[in-house]
Amino acid sequence: MCADRSSKSSPAEPVELSQRILHRGRTGIFGVHEVRFPSGHVTTLELLQHPGAAAIVPFVDAEHIVLLRQYRFAIKGQLWEIPAGKLDPGEEPRTCALRELEEETGYRAGRIVATGRVIPAPGFADECIHLFCAYDLVAGETRREPNELIETHHVRLHEALRMIDRGDIVDGKSIAGLHHAARLAANTP
């Protein structure tokens, strides 16, 4: 669970009355949920129940990171991204981040640091992406899936932040991960 349940904004929350599963797939379970709100209003909401994910900013050295240029079918184009992927059943976010780093870039990390988490699309999905930074990288071989079209690029962290400002990096998890990495780098002697 990614949501912060420690602070309740209202005494009552909507109640799920029914759920109809439309599709079970690699990405998660897509269904239609009938929900009653505290006002008594009943509505139908579509929801993707997602197992969660991890994303990682790999530091090659104190100034350089690894970015991916990856084709995404959903947008019919390429995006600049940080390495990331879906949690396997029972997998911890830290383990997922390390696995995805190696699969997508070939690098193994000597050390990783958790930096935060994001919920990218709470209007229709419960996905939570756990964010990390990776250090002390050791080069190795990639193990990309056949449907992954990825190029790796070494970029200065400050240039990646300018890429966000210019609109070259528009992927939400990558923007969040890079900003967390920059905050961490600024506070590290």
Side-chain angles (χ1 to χ4, degrees):
M1 170 84 55
C2 193
D4 182 3
R5 308 289 292 171
S6 62
S7 61
K8 287 196 172 192
S9 58
S10 67
E13 292 186 2
V15 174
E16 184 172 345
L17 303 173
S18 67
Q19 173 184 3
R20 184 168 47 103
I21 295 173
L22 301 176
H23 177 74
R24 290 180 191 270
R26 281 186 39 207
T27 305
I29 301 169
F30 186 73
V32 177
H33 302 252
E34 186 178 34
V35 178
R36 181 184 316 116
F37 283 82
S39 66
H41 176 74
V42 175
T43 191
T44 301
L45 301 173
E46 296 167 346
L47 174 66
L48 172 63
Q49 294 173 290
H50 191 279
I56 191 161
V57 178
F59 278 83
V60 177
D61 58 37
E63 295 181 11
H64 295 86
I65 63 166
V66 178
L67 282 181
L68 306 178
R69 187 79 171 145
Q70 181 162 312
Y71 178 82
R72 293 295 191 171
F73 180 77
I75 64 157
K76 307 289 191 284
Q78 294 187 339
L79 289 176
W80 286 103
E81 299 182 50
I82 60 177
K86 181 177 63 69
L87 298 174
D88 286 340
E91 186 177 41
E92 292 295 320
R94 176 177 296 273
T95 304
C96 178
L98 290 168
R99 175 178 52 77
E100 290 293 337
L101 173 65
E102 188 171 356
E103 287 177 3
E104 294 181 351
T105 71
Y107 285 111
R108 287 186 319 277
R111 175 175 68 94
I112 69 170
V113 175
T115 61
R117 60 191 178 166
V118 294
I119 302 174
F124 66 87
D126 65 356
E127 178 183 17
C128 175
I129 303 175
H130 301 268
L131 303 172
F132 298 87
C133 285
Y135 305 94
D136 306 326
L137 302 181
V138 176
E141 296 295 318
T142 63
R143 293 188 326 271
R144 296 179 184 146
E145 295 180 31
N147 63 336
E148 291 181 314
L149 301 172
I150 298 174
E151 300 171 357
T152 55
H153 297 267
H154 290 196
V155 177
R156 290 183 184 273
L157 177 58
H158 72 271
E159 177 57 24
L161 297 173
R162 283 203 289 263
M163 291 169 75
I164 293 169
D165 293 341
R166 287 193 308 261
D168 297 335
I169 297 176
V170 295
D171 174 61
K173 71 181 175 306
S174 299
I175 292 170
L178 290 166
H179 280 295
H180 279 290
R183 176 187 46 81
L184 187 63
N187 294 321
T188 302

